[in-house]
Amino acid sequence: MKKKLIVLIIAIIVLSLVGALLFFFYGDDNVEEYFGQEIEFSQMPGATVTSDTNLEYNVDELNSQLPKNTKYSVLYNPILTDYKIVSQFGFNIDDYSLWNDGRRSYSADGPDKEKWLIIDKYGSFSYTTGVGSTNFEMPLSDKECYNIAKKYLQEQGLYSKRLGKEISYNKTELYSLSEGSKITAVGINFLVDNTYGNARIMVEVNGNGEVTSVTYNLREYAGNKTVKLISVQEAIERFKEGKAYIDVENPSSNLKFEKVTVQYWGQERHEDNLFVQPVYYFEGTSTTTGGKTEPFSITVQANKY
């Protein structure tokens, strides 16, 4: 009995050592070295950062701002919609016009004006409910409009678990010589886990507390892979190669990188984009060619692909 126990203990030790060696040489099998696709960042018209722009940064300082031992993922394989929402909104699911980009367009007469729906194969859509806008001063608070919008999304089965805590508001403002300016509608933006709100849900509420439109730029994904990130230095090199989204207002002679975070970029309004991927989001101060200072932000893809 003792001999069998000793053999069993030795076997366990050997298996543990083999496992440790395999992990040392090959790492965690669940972490992908290269996964995703290159993000094609659009640029604002007219380059404001050139090869002559001086870059001022401290890699060690930027690295110290990033959380340790945090895992980052790529979401992939967006789920095709069943178009159920088309019937929920009162349209005939088989009565549509097909756009060149593959989206379906539905229309019908609402109580106040025409209502319509444009939806892609992954379930992102723009919907006008047919309820007319109001032209009197908005009597509802932002909080009341938020509650109306949230309840509407919940009733329609659209309140996603991916929604974050961040909320922003768009106000529709009318102006007349006799009455001056007044807020007539409030749009509630439910922002999610992507830089610049590329994935979002926006619900507009009129002065009667009615939902007039919904913009639903959000996909659900079947796949999720943990990925390795390039270093901060590699990200800056990618920026130098022009592989970045640059948000700076005026031509810059010097960029001082002061802050970095890891966020997500989805471009979920684009039919061919199949991934939500991590990005480095740099912030800092730009010195213009005229000697003034202003804030800037730069977004660089962070995963290897």
Side-chain angles (χ1 to χ4, degrees):
M1 184 68 179
K2 287 184 179 181
K3 187 176 181 180
K4 288 183 179 179
L5 182 60
I6 292 172
V7 170
L8 179 60
I9 293 172
I10 292 172
I12 292 172
I13 293 172
V14 170
L15 287 173
S16 299
L17 289 172
V18 170
L21 286 171
L22 287 172
F23 183 82
F24 178 81
F25 285 111
Y26 297 105
D28 183 358
D29 288 338
N30 294 323
V31 179
E32 293 285 343
E33 183 79 17
Y34 293 91
F35 188 79
Q37 68 181 24
E38 181 176 1
I39 299 172
E40 296 183 5
F41 294 103
S42 60
Q43 297 300 340
M44 298 173 65
T48 53
V49 176
T50 69
S51 58
D52 294 329
T53 302
N54 181 59
L55 306 182
E56 184 181 347
Y57 57 89
N58 184 314
V59 172
D60 291 336
E61 170 60 28
L62 292 172
N63 279 325
S64 69
Q65 299 176 18
L66 297 172
K68 308 301 180 187
N69 302 319
T70 299
K71 292 183 178 180
Y72 298 100
S73 299
V74 168
L75 303 181
Y76 65 99
N77 192 13
I79 299 172
L80 294 173
T81 184
D82 57 7
Y83 293 103
K84 181 176 66 176
I85 196 67
V86 174
S87 299
Q88 283 183 219
F89 287 152
F91 299 97
N92 180 345
I93 197 169
D94 296 318
D95 184 14
Y96 61 87
S97 300
L98 192 64
W99 286 24
N100 291 335
D101 60 7
R103 288 186 294 170
R104 294 183 180 185
S105 175
Y106 296 86
S107 62
D109 291 329
D112 297 323
K113 60 180 181 179
E114 181 181 338
K115 74 172 184 175
W116 53 265
L117 170 70
I118 299 172
I119 183 169
D120 73 13
K121 63 183 179 181
Y122 299 117
S124 292
F125 62 81
S126 296
Y127 172 51
T128 297
T129 64
V131 176
S133 59
T134 52
N135 58 11
F136 51 82
E137 183 75 36
M138 168 60 73
L140 305 172
S141 67
D142 287 351
K143 180 65 174 178
E144 288 172 317
C145 290
Y146 165 80
N147 288 334
I148 292 169
K150 182 177 179 180
K151 181 180 179 182
Y152 181 87
L153 292 177
Q154 290 173 331
E155 289 174 345
Q156 299 295 336
L158 296 171
Y159 196 78
S160 170
K161 62 183 180 182
R162 287 182 57 208
L163 290 176
K165 296 181 179 180
E166 186 177 355
I167 302 294
S168 68
Y169 297 90
N170 296 341
K171 306 292 180 72
T172 300
E173 186 173 356
L174 293 182
Y175 177 81
S176 67
L177 290 174
S178 59
E179 299 182 43
S181 62
K182 56 185 176 182
I183 304 298
T184 60
V186 175
I188 300 90
N189 287 293
F190 297 81
L191 304 180
V192 293
D193 52 9
N194 299 314
T195 308
Y196 302 126
N198 283 289
R200 69 188 180 99
I201 301 173
M202 197 276 282
V203 180
E204 186 173 80
V205 177
N206 68 13
N208 292 324
E210 301 166 307
V211 172
T212 61
S213 66
V214 181
T215 303
Y216 192 88
N217 290 316
L218 177 64
R219 298 174 185 169
E220 302 297 344
Y221 292 82
N224 184 324
K225 283 189 183 294
T226 302
V227 294
K228 291 185 178 180
L229 304 188
I230 63 174
S231 68
V232 168
Q233 182 64 60
E234 289 173 307
I236 293 175
E237 294 304 319
R238 277 188 179 177
F239 159 65
K240 292 178 182 178
E241 296 170 3
K243 297 181 177 181
Y245 181 87
I246 304 167
D247 187 2
V248 58
E249 187 171 352
N250 294 297
S252 177
S253 62
N254 187 80
L255 294 177
K256 183 179 181 181
F257 291 69
E258 298 170 343
K259 182 180 178 182
V260 64
T261 53
V262 178
Q263 301 185 19
Y264 284 90
W265 186 275
Q267 291 182 295
E268 293 183 305
R269 301 180 196 183
H270 297 273
E271 184 76 12
D272 295 331
N273 189 281
L274 304 179
F275 298 87
V276 173
Q277 300 172 105
V279 293
Y280 284 114
Y281 184 63
F282 295 99
E283 298 172 89
T285 303
S286 169
T287 301
T288 69
T289 52
K292 296 182 179 180
T293 59
E294 62 185 27
F296 77 86
S297 66
I298 292 172
T299 305
V300 182
Q301 186 165 358
N303 58 305
K304 300 179 179 182
Y305 51 86

